[in-house]
Amino acid sequence: MQLIAAPNWNNSYLTDFADAGGKFILYHGSADPIFSMKNLEDWHNKLHSNNADAASFERYYPIPGMPHGQGVNSADQIDLLGALIDWVEKDQAPGVLEATFRADNAEAGANAGSTRPLCPYPLVAHFNGGDAKQASNFSCK
């Protein structure tokens, strides 16, 4: 594995980063009261407009209900690092990931321990019926 410098976020092409084999996963809580999720969404869209191969090195995951960090009633426990390692070391690009409402999060209430699919943007999780506490009963559309 080669260490690659962080991408220049003002550059919505990232050609050098991609050419060097760089990969990255972005995430943002939809309920972030400090930074708008829309800014990251706009940058992601611009990257994909400017670089036809952007999906080969970048993924963006909006996290429903998550504020600026963990907390509140949101499925905020996700192994993004594991997904990135698999992408870099095993060439397994991340798709739908599983997120968990942490059991130690008192604000999760009845959702504690429940799972949800974390869909890569622009996909969104839709409930298919059954047990709403199981990610397997949702699909990304």
Side-chain angles (χ1 to χ4, degrees):
M1 181 199 271
Q2 176 184 352
L3 182 62
I4 300 170
N8 175 354
W9 297 110
N10 294 318
N11 177 345
S12 59
Y13 290 87
L14 298 180
T15 310
D16 293 342
F17 180 79
D19 289 347
K23 310 263 190 246
F24 66 100
I25 296 174
L26 302 169
Y27 70 94
H28 199 287
S30 69
D32 189 332
I34 299 169
F35 299 106
S36 171
M37 186 175 92
K38 181 76 172 131
N39 293 335
L40 189 54
E41 180 182 307
D42 289 346
W43 184 87
H44 165 88
N45 290 335
K46 189 174 181 182
L47 173 69
H48 284 257
S49 292
N50 292 340
N51 189 326
D53 294 330
S56 70
F57 63 89
E58 183 266 353
R59 291 290 189 280
Y60 170 43
Y61 292 91
I63 302 176
M66 190 176 89
H68 191 76
Q70 290 183 318
V72 301
N73 189 6
S74 65
D76 61 9
Q77 184 175 348
I78 311 112
D79 185 12
L80 295 171
L81 180 58
L84 182 61
I85 290 170
D86 286 346
W87 197 6
V88 170
E89 295 182 357
K90 300 176 185 173
D91 200 30
Q92 295 174 351
V96 177
L97 303 175
E98 188 169 287
T100 303
F101 289 81
R102 289 176 294 115
D104 65 347
N105 178 2
E107 293 178 313
N111 285 325
S114 298
T115 59
R116 294 287 187 279
L118 187 59
C119 306
Y121 178 85
L123 302 176
V124 177
H126 291 269
F127 182 56
N128 300 323
D131 184 357
K133 293 186 175 208
Q134 299 298 317
S136 60
N137 291 319
F138 291 79
S139 57
C140 293
K141 299 178 183 180

